Amino acid sequence: MRRQKGKRAPTAPAWAARSGGVDRAFVAVDGAADREAPGTPGNLRAAEVAADRVVLAWDRACDDLMVTGYAVSRDGASVGRTGALVTSFEDTGLVPGQTYIYAVTAEDAGGHTSMPAFLEVTTAGVRVRVLAPASVAEGAQFNVTVAAYHAVDLYAADVILAFDAGVLQLADLTITAPLNELILRQGYDNEAGTASWVAGRSGQVPGVSGDVPLAELTFSAVGVGGVAITPTAAVLADSLGRSIPVSSEGATVTVRGASRLTGTLGAEGLGAAAAGITVRLYDAAKTLVAEATTDAAGRFEFADLPSGTYHLLACRPGCLSRYLGSFQPGAGERAEVPAAALFSGDVDRNDRVDLADLVALGLAYRSGSGDPGFNAAADLNADGLVDLRDFVLLARSYGLAGDSLP
């Protein structure tokens, strides 16, 4: 073919050379190189929003030569493309009441991509969500909220929850206002691991709109591990009795094994197991963290301890303080403190047994409870008498002083 003077033979359009893609290094359109990225699509908007689909629309993007199409992504994942002349996209199969973030970019024949236009869209319908703490300690009680989000004219609800009864036990279920005016059913089964309720408003009143609390539940963590609290059924109705499109979202709670320090303490004259002994828990920096008191069996416990090193110091009126040692309970483990007994004889309660204690005991010697001169502090074995038994206890400890932290 003879070239006409003063004119160049036209190059093939970009799309004519495509075979699984375009040459991104150099594409010519009517003899010109496409060297610039398109502009961002303008006015990205939701033209239509339903419970399970969204229709997006936008204005055409500009390019130095030609826009060849648009790419659409949802929450960072590609969901489709359109041609150059199509400036709308329908995304289907969505969850009612869910919020999505869309991005639309323009593409040109040179393989360039524009900066994205973003849009946040929440689908129609209600989303029933379970709100719970991410982590709790074994043995703890915690609260869970069930709520309906993005509700419109919500009048009644029928909800069933499921949970692992081996890890959680339900202690209380309260249907919350305003959907608690008429309660048809309310209960839970800790063997099956279910909770359910049917309730709503009463009278000629409209339903509730917005984010609506449905119920408050109190669980006890009786096991260890991750456990889901899941709505297995959620049926909602408006004030005309019509079903409301709904989706649900559960929550996962991790029950961590609680580190514990336990032990049994006694005191001379009171036996190997004595009540009323105060045990002080200190951290590695010697800062007081907590206190516990022995029960009638002489037992004490510190539960739900973070990992670390702890020191224990025990004391009781009439006894010398005793350092019980340092301990490092592992995560989820129980460390048993070796049994110990406190020394008696500290009548004046200055944490040492000396001549002043002997004098105090001597002044009360051979007196009983209710007698003139009776000194309960000198009754070291708490039998209501100050006698030889108390004298022997003081003699055993004479010259000793109480322990302190190392």
Side-chain angles (χ1 to χ4, degrees), residues 47-406:
E48 185 177 344
V49 178
D52 59 353
R53 68 187 186 93
V54 169
V55 177
L56 301 175
W58 58 89
D59 296 342
R60 292 181 182 179
C62 299
D63 187 50
D64 56 339
L65 290 180
M66 180 177 64
V67 171
T68 59
Y70 300 90
V72 182
S73 66
R74 179 202 334 121
D75 293 338
S78 175
V79 291
R81 281 180 162 79
T82 72
L85 301 179
V86 179
T87 56
S88 64
F89 179 83
E90 182 179 12
D91 190 21
T92 60
L94 304 179
V95 176
Q98 177 72 15
T99 298
Y100 300 99
I101 297 177
Y102 287 94
V104 177
T105 55
E107 300 173 337
D108 65 16
H112 305 115
T113 301
S114 73
M115 295 294 291
F118 291 102
L119 180 67
E120 184 178 288
V121 180
T122 299
T123 51
V126 181
R127 189 164 180 82
V128 173
R129 295 181 59 194
V130 177
L131 305 177
S135 176
V136 298
E138 181 186 7
Q141 280 199 336
F142 62 96
N143 294 326
V144 169
T145 299
V146 181
Y149 288 81
H150 315 299
V152 177
D153 191 29
L154 175 57
Y155 195 89
D158 181 350
V159 180
I160 301 175
L161 297 181
F163 55 91
D164 185 346
V167 180
L168 300 179
Q169 291 283 282
L170 190 51
D172 185 61
L173 165 61
T174 302
I175 303 173
T176 50
L179 264 64
N180 63 348
E181 298 169 359
L182 194 63
I183 298 175
L184 179 63
R185 184 176 69 239
Q186 174 185 6
Y188 53 88
D189 185 340
N190 274 326
E191 292 188 4
T194 60
S196 63
W197 66 94
V198 181
R201 306 208 69 183
S202 65
Q204 299 293 320
V205 295
V208 188
S209 298
D211 298 338
V212 182
L214 300 178
E216 292 283 344
L217 303 93
T218 301
F219 284 95
S220 296
V222 297
V224 176
V227 56
I229 305 173
T230 308
T232 56
V235 180
L236 307 179
D238 64 17
S239 60
L240 298 179
R242 299 172 300 191
S243 178
I244 298 174
V246 62
S247 63
S248 61
E249 177 183 336
T252 298
V253 179
T254 299
V255 181
R256 61 186 186 276
S259 298
R260 300 180 183 181
L261 278 173
T262 61
T264 302
L265 296 177
E268 286 192 337
L270 299 174
I277 298 176
T278 299
V279 185
R280 296 190 174 102
L281 178 76
Y282 298 84
D283 62 16
K286 313 296 176 62
T287 301
L288 181 63
V289 175
E291 289 187 353
T293 303
T294 55
D295 60 18
R299 296 290 294 172
F300 70 89
E301 178 179 274
F302 295 98
D304 193 21
L305 298 176
S307 298
T309 299
Y310 297 95
H311 300 272
L312 291 178
L313 190 67
C315 57
R316 186 184 189 279
C319 299
L320 298 177
S321 299
R322 180 157 184 177
Y323 177 64
L324 303 178
S326 65
F327 304 89
Q328 291 180 303
E333 296 179 352
R334 187 182 74 175
E336 182 72 16
V337 178
L342 278 61
F343 293 108
S344 298
D346 184 19
V347 179
D348 61 3
R349 301 181 182 181
N350 64 353
D351 212 22
R352 62 179 180 268
V353 181
D354 53 19
L355 198 60
D357 298 296
L358 179 60
V359 171
L361 188 145
L363 292 172
Y365 197 68
R366 293 180 179 175
S367 65
S369 177
D371 292 342
F374 176 77
N375 183 355
D379 182 16
L380 298 175
N381 62 355
D383 65 352
L385 298 172
V386 179
D387 55 14
L388 185 61
R389 297 181 184 87
D390 302 299
F391 178 79
V392 170
L393 292 173
L394 186 149
R396 288 177 181 173
S397 304
Y398 191 80
L400 298 180
D403 294 334
S404 58
L405 294 178

Side-chain angles (χ1 to χ4, degrees), residues 5-39:
K5 187 176 180 180
K7 295 185 178 180
R8 295 183 297 174
T11 56
W15 59 83
R18 273 205 296 259
S19 177
V22 298
D23 181 359
R24 294 175 179 264
F26 182 87
V27 178
V29 179
D30 289 337
D34 191 339
R35 301 183 184 277
E36 296 182 8

